Amino acid sequence: METGPYYFVKNLPLHELITQEFINTFVKKGSCYALTHNTNIDEDNTVALLPNGKLILSLDKDTYEETGLQGRPSQYSGRKVMKFIVSIDLMDLSFNPNSKKCERVSWSFKEKKPLKFDFLLAWHHTGAEESTMMSYFSNYRIQELQPKIALSTVTELQCPVLRSGALRGEPEAACSAPELLDWLGAVFSRADLTNEPHSFVSTYCCPQPSTVVARAYLCTITGFILPEKICLLLEQLCHYFDEPKLAPWVTLSVQGFADSPVSWRENEHGFRKGGEHLYNFVIFNNQDYWLQMAVGANDDCPP
C-alpha cells in the first residue's frame, strides 16, 4: 500500500519552520511533521515539529544560552544540567505575528543563533491540492522519498499460543502479553528460538505453550511513516479476518525514532541505553485486540 511520500531536506535553517508562510501553507492546512536527521538525542541538538503545531527543541547548554529563549532543564540531565527543552507554539506565533514573543523567536533563529539541520519532513492533508513541499523548499537540497518495504517468509516458526481474553496468560493454556512482546522482538531480530547448546548468540526460546506454524509472513516498512498511514494499515489488518482464516492473530508493531525529542504526545524522550519507544497491536480473528506500549528508562509512561 502507499505509505509515502516524505522528504529529506539538507541544511535547512530552523527559521524556515517558523515563518508565517510555512505555518499558513502546511501547519494550518493539515498535519505537518518534521524531525532532525542523524542527530543523537543525548549529545546533539535535536528538533521535532508535531502535528499540533508545537516545535520542540532539545538543546545543549551552550546553544540554549545562545538562543536566549525560555525553556526548562531536561528531566534526564542528572545533577549537572547539560540539555534543555524549548517548546514553541507555531499556532500562537501565527495568531500573534507582531507579539514580542514572535519577534524574539524570529530574531533568535535568524540573527542571534542561526541553526541549520538535516530534516525529515512529511505532510498529511485532506484537501484536493497536491503537496507543495518540493516546490516550497526548492531553494534547498530536497529529496522525495518512499518508505522501504521488505517482505519475507519465515517457515516452521514456533509461535506462542494466545487467548484474547487472557492478557496475563493461563498455565499450560496460553502465553501472556509480555511473553508475546519478547517473542516478537526475537522474531524481528531473526534470533534463533530453539536455545540450542551450541548457540552463543541467543539463549532465548519460545514461551510455552507454543505451536509450530508452517509459514508466517513478515512485512517491514522503514521510513518517516505518519500516524494517518499507520491507521490505514491497521484498518486493513482488521479486515483481514472478514473472511475465515487459519491464522489466529496478526500483529502490527510500530517503532519510534530512537533519537526523537518526544515519544508520546509531548512527553520528553531520552536515549539511555537503547532509546526504545514502541507500541504493538495484536488483532485476533474474533476482532478482539491487544494494545501494548513500551518505553525505555528515560521516558514517561505512555498515556
Side-chain angles (χ1 to χ4, degrees):
M1 63 177 288
E2 182 65 38
T3 52
Y6 62 99
Y7 304 90
F8 174 66
V9 188
K10 194 86 175 166
N11 288 325
L12 181 67
L14 188 56
H15 73 76
E16 288 283 8
L17 301 185
I18 64 166
T19 64
Q20 293 299 316
E21 185 182 1
F22 177 81
I23 296 170
N24 291 332
T25 305
F26 297 107
V27 178
K28 286 186 176 180
K29 293 182 178 178
S31 301
C32 192
Y33 302 79
L35 181 66
T36 46
H37 183 60
N38 276 342
T39 52
N40 298 321
I41 186 68
D42 51 353
E43 55 187 13
D44 300 327
N45 297 318
T46 59
V47 178
L49 173 60
L50 309 184
N52 62 1
K54 294 286 182 69
L55 189 67
I56 309 294
L57 292 77
S58 175
L59 305 175
D60 61 46
K61 187 173 184 289
D62 291 342
T63 306
Y64 173 71
E65 290 174 350
E66 288 175 43
T67 62
L69 297 175
Q70 188 174 3
R72 60 172 178 80
S74 166
Q75 64 191 73
Y76 306 117
S77 286
R79 291 182 180 178
K80 189 176 181 181
V81 179
M82 299 302 294
K83 295 280 287 190
F84 289 83
I85 308 299
V86 177
S87 177
I88 300 169
D89 189 341
L90 299 188
M91 301 300 280
D92 181 48
L93 297 188
S94 173
F95 289 129
N96 302 285
N98 298 317
S99 66
K100 288 185 178 180
K101 182 179 180 181
C102 184
E103 290 174 357
R104 185 173 184 82
V105 171
S106 181
W107 167 74
S108 175
F109 291 159
K110 273 188 175 182
E111 300 176 35
K112 193 168 191 299
K113 185 60 179 177
L115 295 169
K116 291 183 179 182
F117 298 95
D118 295 345
F119 271 103
L120 297 174
L121 288 159
W123 183 45
H124 177 82
H125 58 99
T126 54
E129 61 188 282
E130 287 295 314
S131 171
T132 54
M133 275 198 169
M134 286 292 288
S135 57
Y136 186 88
F137 291 112
S138 59
N139 293 333
Y140 300 95
R141 290 170 58 190
I142 181 172
Q143 290 177 273
E144 182 177 308
L145 303 172
Q146 292 286 345
K148 295 178 181 177
I149 301 177
L151 292 163
S152 62
T153 303
V154 187
T155 57
E156 301 300 316
L157 179 66
Q158 228 184 336
C159 288
V161 173
L162 303 177
R163 285 188 54 194
S164 62
L167 274 163
R168 297 182 179 180
E170 292 178 351
E172 300 183 6
C175 295
S176 68
E179 286 176 322
L180 170 72
L181 205 58
D182 281 343
W183 176 83
L184 283 172
V187 173
F188 297 157
S189 304
R190 307 299 174 100
D192 190 354
L193 305 179
T194 56
N195 190 18
E196 294 290 340
H198 60 267
S199 174
F200 295 99
V201 177
S202 171
T203 58
Y204 180 82
C205 59
C206 183
Q208 297 300 319
S210 66
T211 182
V212 176
V213 296
R215 185 177 296 158
Y217 292 104
L218 178 62
C219 173
T220 305
I221 307 172
T222 307
F224 197 42
I225 306 162
L226 302 190
E228 291 84 358
K229 302 292 185 181
I230 295 170
C231 285
L232 283 174
L233 187 54
L234 183 60
E235 285 182 22
Q236 294 297 317
L237 283 176
C238 289
H239 287 301
Y240 176 74
F241 290 118
D242 284 352
E243 296 179 6
K245 297 287 195 308
L246 289 175
W249 44 267
V250 295
T251 69
L252 172 65
S253 300
V254 182
Q255 309 271 344
F257 282 82
D259 290 293
S260 167
V262 294
S263 52
W264 272 272
R265 296 173 182 165
E266 295 172 41
N267 291 350
E268 184 185 346
H269 172 63
F271 191 86
R272 192 61 180 263
K273 291 184 178 179
E276 305 90 347
H277 57 127
L278 58 106
Y279 61 90
N280 179 61
F281 277 100
V282 187
I283 302 128
F284 292 90
N285 56 11
N286 63 355
Q287 292 298 320
D288 284 351
Y289 74 91
W290 292 352
L291 170 59
Q292 300 166 287
M293 295 183 279
V295 291
N298 279 11
D299 272 286
D300 287 337
C301 286

